[in-house]
Amino acid sequence: DFFMHFLDASEEELMKPMEEISVGRVQHFLSMSIQLTENQRDGEIEHSVALSQQDDSQLVPRMLKCRFSSESLVAYLDSLYGGIANQEARTPSRQPYGCATRDTGFDLFALDFALVPFPTSLVLSRHSM
């Protein structure tokens, strides 16, 4: 749910070319989306149950950071496996593979976990990412 709130709030900012994006503003949208979602979830839980159990699955805004990659996923895969030259466009942005375009925030956006909780950390470590 928080990701849908985030995409709605940050759509205008992420559609800009990378040079014009305010990373602080995008991080603010991400933090606010997490807080809104958690507040909605807390409102749905009965207070007596919430007081008797402590929920460790709560997503804390400082756990997630936004960052922007130096190249898009399509460009990265092209560099690994080679682009398809002189064929019709097959990417979601309707650009041929390997075509040089200005990357937007949507192309370069990534989520960075500051702390991955156990047992997820066994699979998703910084080294494996």
Side-chain angles (χ1 to χ4, degrees), residues 32-64:
M32 292 306 295
S33 298
I34 293 170
Q35 288 176 352
L36 284 171
T37 304
E38 288 300 319
N39 288 342
Q40 287 174 352
R41 191 181 91 170
D42 288 346
E44 295 170 359
I45 298 174
E46 293 180 32
H47 290 292
S48 61
V49 174
L51 292 176
S52 64
Q53 293 178 319
Q54 190 162 19
D55 188 10
D56 293 333
S57 68
Q58 188 173 16
L59 187 60
V60 181
R62 67 180 174 274
M63 289 175 64
L64 277 178

Short mmCIF file of all heavy atoms in Angstrom, two decimals, residues 32-64:
data_model
loop_
_atom_site.label_atom_id
_atom_site.label_comp_id
_atom_site.label_asym_id
_atom_site.label_seq_id
_atom_site.Cartn_x
_atom_site.Cartn_y
_atom_site.Cartn_z
N MET A 32 6.69 9.98 4.01
CA MET A 32 5.29 10.31 4.30
C MET A 32 4.35 9.18 3.88
O MET A 32 3.38 8.89 4.58
CB MET A 32 4.89 11.61 3.60
CG MET A 32 5.59 12.84 4.14
SD MET A 32 5.39 13.05 5.93
CE MET A 32 3.66 13.31 6.05
N SER A 33 4.64 8.51 2.79
CA SER A 33 3.80 7.40 2.33
C SER A 33 3.85 6.24 3.32
O SER A 33 2.84 5.62 3.62
CB SER A 33 4.26 6.92 0.96
OG SER A 33 4.13 7.93 0.02
N ILE A 34 5.04 5.97 3.86
CA ILE A 34 5.17 4.90 4.85
C ILE A 34 4.41 5.27 6.12
O ILE A 34 3.66 4.45 6.67
CB ILE A 34 6.65 4.62 5.16
CG1 ILE A 34 7.34 4.04 3.94
CG2 ILE A 34 6.79 3.69 6.36
CD1 ILE A 34 8.84 3.94 4.06
N GLN A 35 4.55 6.50 6.58
CA GLN A 35 3.85 6.93 7.80
C GLN A 35 2.34 6.89 7.62
O GLN A 35 1.62 6.44 8.52
CB GLN A 35 4.30 8.33 8.19
CG GLN A 35 5.70 8.37 8.74
CD GLN A 35 6.17 9.79 9.04
OE1 GLN A 35 5.50 10.75 8.71
NE2 GLN A 35 7.34 9.90 9.64
N LEU A 36 1.84 7.35 6.48
CA LEU A 36 0.39 7.32 6.23
C LEU A 36 -0.14 5.90 6.23
O LEU A 36 -1.19 5.61 6.81
CB LEU A 36 0.06 8.00 4.90
CG LEU A 36 0.10 9.51 4.88
CD1 LEU A 36 -0.04 10.02 3.44
CD2 LEU A 36 -1.01 10.07 5.74
N THR A 37 0.57 5.00 5.59
CA THR A 37 0.14 3.61 5.51
C THR A 37 0.15 2.95 6.89
O THR A 37 -0.78 2.23 7.26
CB THR A 37 1.02 2.82 4.54
OG1 THR A 37 0.99 3.47 3.27
CG2 THR A 37 0.54 1.40 4.37
N GLU A 38 1.20 3.21 7.66
CA GLU A 38 1.28 2.64 9.00
C GLU A 38 0.20 3.20 9.91
O GLU A 38 -0.37 2.48 10.73
CB GLU A 38 2.67 2.86 9.60
CG GLU A 38 3.75 2.01 8.96
CD GLU A 38 3.48 0.52 9.09
OE1 GLU A 38 3.05 0.06 10.16
OE2 GLU A 38 3.70 -0.18 8.09
N ASN A 39 -0.10 4.50 9.79
CA ASN A 39 -1.17 5.09 10.59
C ASN A 39 -2.53 4.51 10.24
O ASN A 39 -3.35 4.28 11.11
CB ASN A 39 -1.19 6.61 10.42
CG ASN A 39 -0.02 7.28 11.10
OD1 ASN A 39 0.63 6.70 11.97
ND2 ASN A 39 0.28 8.50 10.69
N GLN A 40 -2.76 4.25 8.97
CA GLN A 40 -4.02 3.63 8.55
C GLN A 40 -4.11 2.22 9.11
O GLN A 40 -5.16 1.79 9.58
CB GLN A 40 -4.13 3.60 7.03
CG GLN A 40 -4.40 4.93 6.41
CD GLN A 40 -4.36 4.88 4.89
OE1 GLN A 40 -4.00 3.87 4.29
NE2 GLN A 40 -4.73 5.98 4.27
N ARG A 41 -3.00 1.50 9.06
CA ARG A 41 -2.98 0.13 9.57
C ARG A 41 -3.19 0.11 11.08
O ARG A 41 -3.93 -0.73 11.60
CB ARG A 41 -1.66 -0.55 9.23
CG ARG A 41 -1.69 -2.04 9.49
CD ARG A 41 -0.39 -2.66 9.17
NE ARG A 41 0.40 -2.64 10.40
CZ ARG A 41 1.54 -3.27 10.53
NH1 ARG A 41 2.07 -3.91 9.53
NH2 ARG A 41 2.19 -3.24 11.68
N ASP A 42 -2.56 1.04 11.78
CA ASP A 42 -2.74 1.12 13.22
C ASP A 42 -4.18 1.44 13.59
O ASP A 42 -4.68 0.95 14.60
CB ASP A 42 -1.80 2.16 13.83
CG ASP A 42 -0.35 1.72 13.81
OD1 ASP A 42 -0.11 0.50 13.59
OD2 ASP A 42 0.53 2.57 14.00
N GLY A 43 -4.84 2.24 12.80
CA GLY A 43 -6.24 2.58 13.06
C GLY A 43 -7.17 1.41 12.90
O GLY A 43 -8.23 1.35 13.51
N GLU A 44 -6.78 0.44 12.08
CA GLU A 44 -7.63 -0.72 11.83
C GLU A 44 -7.46 -1.81 12.89
O GLU A 44 -8.30 -2.69 13.03
CB GLU A 44 -7.31 -1.30 10.45
CG GLU A 44 -7.67 -0.36 9.31
CD GLU A 44 -7.14 -0.83 7.97
OE1 GLU A 44 -6.48 -1.89 7.92
OE2 GLU A 44 -7.38 -0.14 6.98
N ILE A 45 -6.37 -1.78 13.62
CA ILE A 45 -6.10 -2.79 14.64
C ILE A 45 -6.74 -2.35 15.96
O ILE A 45 -6.66 -1.19 16.34
CB ILE A 45 -4.58 -2.98 14.83
CG1 ILE A 45 -3.96 -3.48 13.53
CG2 ILE A 45 -4.29 -3.95 15.97
CD1 ILE A 45 -2.45 -3.56 13.59
N GLU A 46 -7.38 -3.27 16.64
CA GLU A 46 -7.96 -2.93 17.94
C GLU A 46 -6.84 -2.59 18.92
O GLU A 46 -5.80 -3.25 18.95
CB GLU A 46 -8.76 -4.11 18.48
CG GLU A 46 -10.00 -4.41 17.67
CD GLU A 46 -10.75 -5.58 18.25
OE1 GLU A 46 -10.73 -5.76 19.49
OE2 GLU A 46 -11.35 -6.31 17.47
N HIS A 47 -7.08 -1.59 19.73
CA HIS A 47 -6.03 -1.14 20.65
C HIS A 47 -5.69 -2.18 21.70
O HIS A 47 -4.54 -2.29 22.12
CB HIS A 47 -6.45 0.17 21.32
CG HIS A 47 -6.46 1.32 20.37
ND1 HIS A 47 -5.30 1.82 19.81
CD2 HIS A 47 -7.47 2.05 19.85
CE1 HIS A 47 -5.60 2.81 19.00
NE2 HIS A 47 -6.91 2.97 19.00
N SER A 48 -6.65 -2.97 22.14
CA SER A 48 -6.35 -3.99 23.14
C SER A 48 -5.41 -5.05 22.58
O SER A 48 -4.52 -5.53 23.27
CB SER A 48 -7.64 -4.65 23.64
OG SER A 48 -8.31 -5.27 22.56
N VAL A 49 -5.59 -5.42 21.34
CA VAL A 49 -4.70 -6.40 20.71
C VAL A 49 -3.33 -5.76 20.47
O VAL A 49 -2.30 -6.38 20.68
CB VAL A 49 -5.31 -6.92 19.38
CG1 VAL A 49 -4.32 -7.82 18.65
CG2 VAL A 49 -6.61 -7.64 19.65
N ALA A 50 -3.33 -4.51 20.05
CA ALA A 50 -2.06 -3.83 19.76
C ALA A 50 -1.23 -3.66 21.03
O ALA A 50 -0.01 -3.71 20.97
CB ALA A 50 -2.33 -2.46 19.13
N LEU A 51 -1.88 -3.46 22.16
CA LEU A 51 -1.15 -3.29 23.41
C LEU A 51 -0.60 -4.61 23.94
O LEU A 51 0.43 -4.64 24.58
CB LEU A 51 -2.04 -2.63 24.46
CG LEU A 51 -2.42 -1.17 24.18
CD1 LEU A 51 -3.40 -0.69 25.24
CD2 LEU A 51 -1.19 -0.29 24.13
N SER A 52 -1.31 -5.72 23.67
CA SER A 52 -0.87 -7.01 24.19
C SER A 52 0.22 -7.65 23.32
O SER A 52 0.94 -8.51 23.78
CB SER A 52 -2.05 -7.96 24.32
OG SER A 52 -2.58 -8.24 23.04
N GLN A 53 0.31 -7.23 22.07
CA GLN A 53 1.33 -7.78 21.18
C GLN A 53 2.18 -6.66 20.63
O GLN A 53 1.69 -5.58 20.34
CB GLN A 53 0.69 -8.49 19.99
CG GLN A 53 -0.08 -9.73 20.32
CD GLN A 53 -0.69 -10.31 19.05
OE1 GLN A 53 -1.18 -9.57 18.22
NE2 GLN A 53 -0.66 -11.61 18.94
N GLN A 54 3.43 -6.94 20.49
CA GLN A 54 4.30 -5.97 19.85
C GLN A 54 4.57 -6.45 18.44
O GLN A 54 5.00 -7.58 18.24
CB GLN A 54 5.62 -5.81 20.62
CG GLN A 54 6.42 -4.65 20.12
CD GLN A 54 7.46 -4.23 21.13
OE1 GLN A 54 7.80 -4.99 22.02
NE2 GLN A 54 7.96 -3.04 20.98
N ASP A 55 4.32 -5.60 17.47
CA ASP A 55 4.44 -5.96 16.05
C ASP A 55 5.80 -5.52 15.53
O ASP A 55 6.07 -4.33 15.40
CB ASP A 55 3.31 -5.29 15.26
CG ASP A 55 3.26 -5.77 13.83
OD1 ASP A 55 3.98 -6.74 13.50
OD2 ASP A 55 2.51 -5.17 13.04
N ASP A 56 6.67 -6.50 15.23
CA ASP A 56 7.99 -6.20 14.71
C ASP A 56 8.00 -6.03 13.20
O ASP A 56 9.02 -5.70 12.62
CB ASP A 56 8.99 -7.30 15.09
CG ASP A 56 9.23 -7.33 16.59
OD1 ASP A 56 9.07 -6.26 17.23
OD2 ASP A 56 9.56 -8.40 17.11
N SER A 57 6.85 -6.25 12.53
CA SER A 57 6.81 -6.15 11.08
C SER A 57 6.54 -4.73 10.60
O SER A 57 6.45 -4.50 9.41
CB SER A 57 5.73 -7.09 10.53
OG SER A 57 4.45 -6.61 10.91
N GLN A 58 6.42 -3.80 11.52
CA GLN A 58 6.13 -2.43 11.15
C GLN A 58 7.29 -1.83 10.36
O GLN A 58 8.45 -1.98 10.72
CB GLN A 58 5.86 -1.58 12.39
CG GLN A 58 5.37 -0.19 12.07
CD GLN A 58 4.94 0.54 13.32
OE1 GLN A 58 5.28 0.14 14.43
NE2 GLN A 58 4.21 1.61 13.15
N LEU A 59 6.95 -1.16 9.27
CA LEU A 59 7.95 -0.55 8.41
C LEU A 59 8.21 0.87 8.90
O LEU A 59 7.33 1.70 8.95
CB LEU A 59 7.43 -0.52 6.98
CG LEU A 59 8.37 -0.07 5.89
CD1 LEU A 59 9.59 -0.98 5.84
CD2 LEU A 59 7.66 -0.09 4.56
N VAL A 60 9.44 1.11 9.31
CA VAL A 60 9.82 2.41 9.85
C VAL A 60 10.40 3.25 8.71
O VAL A 60 11.22 2.74 7.93
CB VAL A 60 10.86 2.25 10.98
CG1 VAL A 60 11.26 3.59 11.56
CG2 VAL A 60 10.32 1.32 12.06
N PRO A 61 9.99 4.52 8.59
CA PRO A 61 10.47 5.33 7.46
C PRO A 61 11.98 5.41 7.32
O PRO A 61 12.50 5.47 6.22
CB PRO A 61 9.87 6.71 7.75
CG PRO A 61 8.68 6.45 8.57
CD PRO A 61 9.00 5.23 9.39
N ARG A 62 12.70 5.38 8.42
CA ARG A 62 14.15 5.49 8.31
C ARG A 62 14.80 4.19 7.83
O ARG A 62 15.98 4.16 7.53
CB ARG A 62 14.75 5.95 9.63
CG ARG A 62 14.62 4.97 10.75
CD ARG A 62 15.25 5.51 12.03
NE ARG A 62 14.99 4.63 13.14
CZ ARG A 62 13.91 4.65 13.91
NH1 ARG A 62 12.98 5.55 13.68
NH2 ARG A 62 13.76 3.80 14.88
N MET A 63 14.02 3.10 7.75
CA MET A 63 14.57 1.83 7.24
C MET A 63 14.75 1.87 5.72
O MET A 63 15.60 1.17 5.20
CB MET A 63 13.64 0.67 7.60
CG MET A 63 13.64 0.31 9.06
SD MET A 63 12.44 -0.97 9.46
CE MET A 63 13.05 -2.36 8.56
N LEU A 64 13.94 2.65 5.03
CA LEU A 64 13.99 2.72 3.57
C LEU A 64 14.53 4.06 3.12
O LEU A 64 14.11 5.10 3.60
CB LEU A 64 12.58 2.56 2.98
CG LEU A 64 12.06 1.16 2.80
CD1 LEU A 64 10.65 1.21 2.24
CD2 LEU A 64 12.93 0.35 1.89
#
